[in-house]
Amino acid sequence: MSGQKRIFSGIKSTGIPTLGNYLGAMKNWAEMQEENDCIYCVVDLHAITIRLEPEDFRRQTRLVYALLLACGLTPDRCLLYLQSHVHQHAELSWMLNCYTMFGELSRMTQFKDKSRKNPDNINAGLFDYPVLMAADILLFDTDLVPVGQDQKQHVELARDIAERFNGIYGDVFTVPQPFIPRVGAKINSLIDPSRKMDKSDPNPAAYIALTDGRDVILSKFKKAVTDSDPHVRFDPVNKPGVSNLMAIYALTGGKSLEEVEREFDGKGYGAFKLAVGESVDAALAPIRLKAAEFCSDPDTLDRMMADAAERAAALAEPCMSRVRQAIGFIEKRR
């Protein structure tokens, strides 16, 4: 459709996606597919920078795919596929490695953070992660990349690589723009609101998994950190815990932050946290149910993945052909 933007984004298949993943990405993906040309990917190649048990990895990948479908992504309105099913991702990643500077990768903050957390497994894939991400994005002539603040640096690197390549060979790549929602782009930990909600957090009370049941959700919000000032007011600097809960309540309940402040004016944190928990459960319960239905029929799920991979490979090949021709590779005769 004329005027549509091509959007690409991906999610790793390690760990169960959290409420932060849902509000910061997955919910927005479902909304964006209505008016844009959207391509979404379960980035399972990115997942293997850590050691995974094969059967758990397969089960987890199907679950993440099912959760995305349950969030409203549909094959007739978007493309949703597995990264490892489309060989052009790895092919373009290697080529872009040769146009990416070592110093650029050395400055990536996520590599530094993850290296500190996993000092016994600082592998080349972890270092090279942003180049594969750049290939993911550039492969589809992407206009917009919806990301959280923590991934913005990677999109900027993808832009730098694209501009460098275009400067050498001409207009081969579309140069993408990052898109960061104003509220909800970064949902923080319930226990430490100075940090992002993270599914790898060792404390399960810090995050809400999309598969958590009602009792678990209410219990976690009951323990969520607030502050000594009893007023429900959006102030991320001075009231980070309360502001985080307000953003969650606003996004799950379809309300503005101003409406949330008025609703809880003069009420205590106990009532506020209970309301947030109930709002989150109401939003996630249908997703839990639908995802379980998809996972109960793995053959159908796998066929959906295979069909999507064929579509994705067909869309990726024109870009790969331009890149091969620009660099000087001999195209394989058919």
Side-chain angles (χ1 to χ4, degrees):
M1 188 182 300
S2 178
Q4 280 191 327
K5 294 290 188 181
R6 168 69 59 81
I7 290 175
F8 178 92
S9 197
I11 185 170
K12 280 197 298 186
S13 54
T14 48
I16 298 171
T18 69
L19 177 67
N21 298 127
Y22 173 64
L23 295 178
M26 298 159 76
K27 182 174 183 287
N28 293 327
W29 291 6
E31 294 167 357
M32 287 186 289
Q33 72 181 349
E34 301 299 331
E35 297 181 359
N36 300 281
D37 179 11
C38 293
I39 300 174
Y40 300 127
C41 183
V42 178
V43 289
D44 50 348
L45 293 175
H46 282 289
I48 63 171
T49 57
I50 60 174
R51 299 291 176 261
L52 302 167
E53 199 286 319
E55 284 305 315
D56 287 344
F57 185 29
R58 277 186 277 271
R59 182 169 54 252
Q60 187 66 35
T61 300
R62 285 193 181 93
L63 174 59
V64 172
Y65 195 91
L67 283 167
L68 288 168
L69 293 172
C71 287
L73 302 189
T74 57
D76 61 333
R77 287 181 289 177
C78 72
L79 177 57
L80 173 63
Y81 69 100
L82 297 190
Q83 184 186 33
S84 62
H85 285 180
V86 179
H87 68 83
Q88 289 93 338
H89 283 273
E91 182 180 0
L92 182 58
S93 179
W94 169 250
M95 294 178 184
L96 295 184
N97 272 323
C98 302
Y99 297 86
T100 306
M101 301 300 106
F102 187 89
E104 290 175 314
L105 295 179
S106 299
R107 291 191 290 273
M108 294 292 106
T109 55
Q110 278 212 336
F111 171 71
K112 296 175 183 177
D113 292 343
K114 291 184 178 182
S115 296
R116 282 194 292 268
K117 293 177 182 177
N118 301 282
D120 297 329
N121 187 24
I122 306 174
N123 55 71
L126 186 63
F127 184 72
D128 204 36
Y129 188 106
V131 182
L132 178 56
M133 183 174 170
D136 299 339
I137 296 165
L138 299 179
L139 194 55
F140 295 102
D141 298 320
T142 301
D143 297 306
L144 297 174
V145 185
V147 291
Q149 286 286 354
D150 59 322
Q151 290 288 337
K152 188 171 182 287
Q153 187 184 36
H154 289 173
V155 180
E156 290 169 349
L157 178 64
R159 287 173 49 83
D160 292 342
I161 296 170
E163 289 171 347
R164 180 177 299 130
F165 196 95
N166 288 352
I168 298 170
Y169 298 111
D171 293 332
V172 176
F173 292 121
T174 298
V175 180
Q177 296 284 346
F179 169 70
I180 302 174
R182 185 183 71 86
V183 178
K186 183 181 179 184
I187 299 299
N188 292 328
S189 163
L190 300 182
I191 299 302
D192 181 1
S194 68
R195 297 187 294 109
K196 183 182 76 169
M197 184 177 286
D198 188 346
K199 58 190 173 185
S200 64
D201 196 305
N203 184 353
Y207 61 87
I208 303 294
L210 294 193
T211 54
D212 281 346
R214 173 181 172 82
D215 290 346
V216 173
I217 290 171
L218 295 182
S219 175
K220 288 182 179 181
F221 276 107
K222 184 178 181 180
K223 300 172 185 175
V225 168
T226 50
D227 53 52
S228 57
D229 172 11
H231 300 290
V232 176
R233 184 177 70 254
F234 192 75
D235 182 352
V237 174
N238 298 305
K239 298 173 71 66
V242 172
S243 299
N244 187 45
L245 295 180
M246 286 181 67
I248 291 170
Y249 188 62
L251 289 163
T252 55
K255 302 179 181 182
S256 69
L257 294 171
E258 292 76 14
E259 287 174 324
V260 177
E261 286 188 3
R262 288 195 296 270
E263 181 178 348
F264 293 98
D265 184 28
K267 299 180 181 178
Y269 284 153
F272 173 53
K273 290 197 285 187
L274 176 61
V276 178
E278 289 178 336
S279 180
V280 168
D281 179 63
L284 298 188
I287 295 172
R288 292 195 302 267
L289 180 61
K290 289 180 183 177
E293 291 174 357
F294 282 119
C295 287
S296 69
D297 187 0
D299 289 340
T300 298
L301 204 58
D302 287 358
R303 282 195 295 272
M304 293 177 68
M305 293 176 185
D307 290 343
E310 287 187 12
R311 291 171 56 200
L315 280 177
E317 191 52 33
C319 175
M320 284 308 312
S321 182
R322 295 197 307 268
V323 173
R324 295 186 201 106
Q325 185 175 17
I327 294 173
F329 288 109
I330 298 172
E331 285 280 350
K332 181 174 66 176
R333 288 183 179 270
R334 289 177 172 80

